Amino acid sequence: MSRIYNIAVIPGDGIGPEITECALKVLNVAARKYNFSLKINKYLAGGCAIDRYGLPLPEETLEGARASDAVLLGAVGGPKWDNVKPELRPERALLELRAGLGLYSNLRPAIMYPELSGASPLKSTKPIDIMIVRELTGGIYFGKRGTYETDEVMADGTPMGTVTYDTESYGVGEIARIVKQAFEIARSRNKHLTLVDKANVLATSREWRRIAGEVNEVYRDVTLDFLYIDNATMQLIARPHTFDTIVTSNMFGDILSDEAGQITGSIGMLPSASLGKPGTPGMYEPVHGSAPDIAGTGKANPLATILSAAMMLELSLGESRAALAIKKAVSDTIADGYRTTDIMIGKDSVKICNTEQMTDAVIAKLK
Ligand code: NAD
């Protein structure tokens, strides 16, 4: 009997509806080929939800996401909603979805397709295939913050004035669950995990190291090494091909994943997954935003969303063969010269295509 999965689709704003439609087209073809079916329920979030309901994440959307097997999201936001109150901004929908679904780890693969190396500032000829595992719900972005007044005077005689602070804090459980997940991922890849931290300065980082060392006892087949964040940003540029899986805190992961993304070429190629407790729905979305500047023009590259859908098949639905087939179809499409304008390197001998044509090219290669 065919396996049936409930997918909550949140197209969002700008190019979001166009690219999620493309991913659904590919998913439906993959479903037929690999003998499963998808029950798709669409929900509003972001600017379109503000327009309809007056708030970025309607209860119905969160409930639908919670009741699903996985969530596929396009992107939210745009200039139309730039001046709404902070608590009503479209991006609030993402934070509330992450919190509401308990998504604590963000996975961002950074893969460089050899044919696109010219789009990368590094022009590296060596393959790059890095998985960044970023802690998503703790650390300085969620720690205690505030301001206070002080009479303190600094050594040079300048009064300190009002002090503003943010706090980096992590619980043992919070660190252990993401580190374990990163070891699992590293084990399924090239068995090399790098913990990026600032253990020469931060107590929290030293705790990450201690816990990672302990967890490594259970995953002895995985090599664990450590890099300070400042050095890691340099090494990612100097020797990106030597990295396999990276695990790091919320803020360091935020910075490093953007850097890794850029060295592989276009933002239009970068998928992501956000995961919580095993057995609960994960959320899959492209790294890029709603690209209002190209919405409705057919210029959007759908590959980041199609690759996000492949991650969904693999990580939430267990349909690894179909996931692999989509990833292979994407690399074959790139190898065959199909290019949306964001990944065009020179105009010679490339098949320039719009959003829909790129999607059809992937489908044609899906085995
Ligand atoms: P963006 O990622 O939307 O666009 C940056 C640039 O990359 C633009 O020139 C855009 O045309 C291009 N681009 C992005 N995706 C592309 C694709 N698939 N194909 C081809 N080109 C692509 O970032 P931005 O312009 O800073 O933000 C636009 C809106 O998106 C803002 O409202 C922002 O808050 C929102 N945003 C949402 C998310 C999300 O929903 N996860 C993430 C980032 C930004």
Side-chain angles (χ1 to χ4, degrees):
M1 211 176 66
S2 158
R3 301 166 302 281
I4 302 172
Y5 304 108
N6 280 310
I7 310 299
V9 176
I10 305 178
D13 309 310
I15 62 170
E18 303 163 40
I19 52 177
T20 41
E21 215 40 59
C22 296
L24 287 178
K25 218 167 148 183
V26 175
L27 276 173
N28 281 323
V29 176
R32 278 198 297 279
K33 283 187 193 290
Y34 288 88
N35 196 31
F36 61 89
S37 49
L38 300 171
K39 198 164 163 291
I40 305 295
N41 290 305
K42 289 194 182 173
Y43 299 96
L44 297 182
C48 54
I50 295 173
D51 288 349
R52 171 82 71 90
Y53 299 105
L55 73 175
L57 187 70
E59 190 56 32
E60 180 193 72
T61 302
L62 182 57
E63 284 310 312
R66 280 203 182 116
S68 70
D69 292 310
V71 181
L72 181 68
L73 184 132
V76 297
K80 184 177 174 193
W81 304 280
D82 273 353
N83 297 319
V84 298
K85 288 190 233 154
E87 64 275 20
L88 283 184
R89 283 191 65 84
E91 294 77 7
R92 291 284 318 165
L94 300 177
L95 300 180
E96 288 174 22
L97 272 166
R98 280 176 198 161
L101 295 172
L103 306 173
Y104 59 80
S105 89
N106 183 225
L107 272 51
R108 283 199 188 182
I111 296 171
M112 194 178 70
Y113 297 84
E115 300 81 6
L116 298 184
S117 70
S120 158
L122 300 186
K123 314 278 181 273
S124 167
T125 50
K126 294 184 178 144
I128 300 173
D129 183 347
I130 307 168
M131 177 66 87
I132 299 198
V133 183
R134 166 191 170 194
E135 201 288 326
L136 204 55
T137 54
I140 198 162
Y141 291 0
F142 292 92
K144 283 199 182 117
R145 61 192 51 163
T147 54
Y148 63 89
E149 299 298 329
T150 174
D151 296 334
E152 205 179 316
V153 175
M154 291 178 283
D156 68 350
T158 312
M160 185 78 83
T162 307
V163 176
T164 306
Y165 63 94
D166 298 283
T167 319
E168 172 88 350
S169 59
Y170 268 112
V172 171
E174 240 175 345
I175 301 170
R177 70 181 177 181
I178 185 102
V179 164
K180 272 185 209 148
Q181 192 180 54
F183 269 108
E184 282 290 335
I185 291 166
R187 181 176 263 176
S188 71
R189 292 168 49 89
N190 286 325
K191 300 187 169 47
H192 176 196
L193 180 63
T194 304
L195 169 61
V196 172
D197 60 31
K198 191 68 184 169
N200 48 346
V201 179
L202 300 177
T204 42
S205 287
R206 288 191 285 277
E207 190 65 346
W208 275 74
R209 284 201 181 197
R210 183 186 69 75
I211 293 167
E214 271 179 24
V215 178
N216 196 190
E217 293 297 313
V218 184
Y219 294 87
R220 284 170 185 267
D221 52 327
V222 177
T223 306
L224 172 69
D225 57 22
F226 307 98
L227 271 184
Y228 298 139
I229 177 67
D230 39 352
N231 189 17
T233 58
M234 288 198 296
Q235 299 307 326
L236 258 184
I237 301 281
R239 51 175 181 89
H241 54 280
T242 64
F243 288 89
D244 171 25
T245 308
I246 291 175
V247 64
T248 189
S249 63
N250 202 344
M251 181 164 67
F252 295 159
D254 194 5
I255 298 164
L256 270 193
S257 56
D258 269 26
E259 184 190 358
Q262 271 313 301
I263 61 182
T264 63
S266 166
I267 194 166
M269 298 295 299
L270 302 173
S272 82
S274 299
L275 304 177
K277 207 167 106 185
T280 61
M283 188 161 86
Y284 299 83
E285 57 182 315
V287 165
H288 60 72
S290 61
D293 53 332
I294 56 166
T297 64
K299 284 190 183 160
N301 182 348
L303 295 180
T305 317
I306 291 171
L307 289 167
S308 302
M311 289 185 87
M312 178 180 85
L313 290 177
E314 183 181 347
L315 300 171
S316 280
L317 309 185
E319 295 290 346
S320 305
R321 284 172 56 238
L324 206 63
I326 293 177
K327 288 195 260 182
K328 169 119 180 34
V330 168
S331 40
D332 287 352
T333 304
I334 294 292
D336 213 11
Y338 289 89
R339 299 284 184 272
T340 42
T341 48
D342 59 307
I343 48 172
M344 225 167 62
I345 315 150
K347 287 194 175 124
D348 295 340
S349 62
V350 292
K351 298 163 185 157
I352 300 166
C353 48
N354 62 24
T355 310
E356 206 180 330
Q357 290 161 334
M358 181 60 109
T359 306
D360 291 341
V362 172
I363 288 172
K365 299 214 175 284
L366 193 53
K367 301 271 164 27

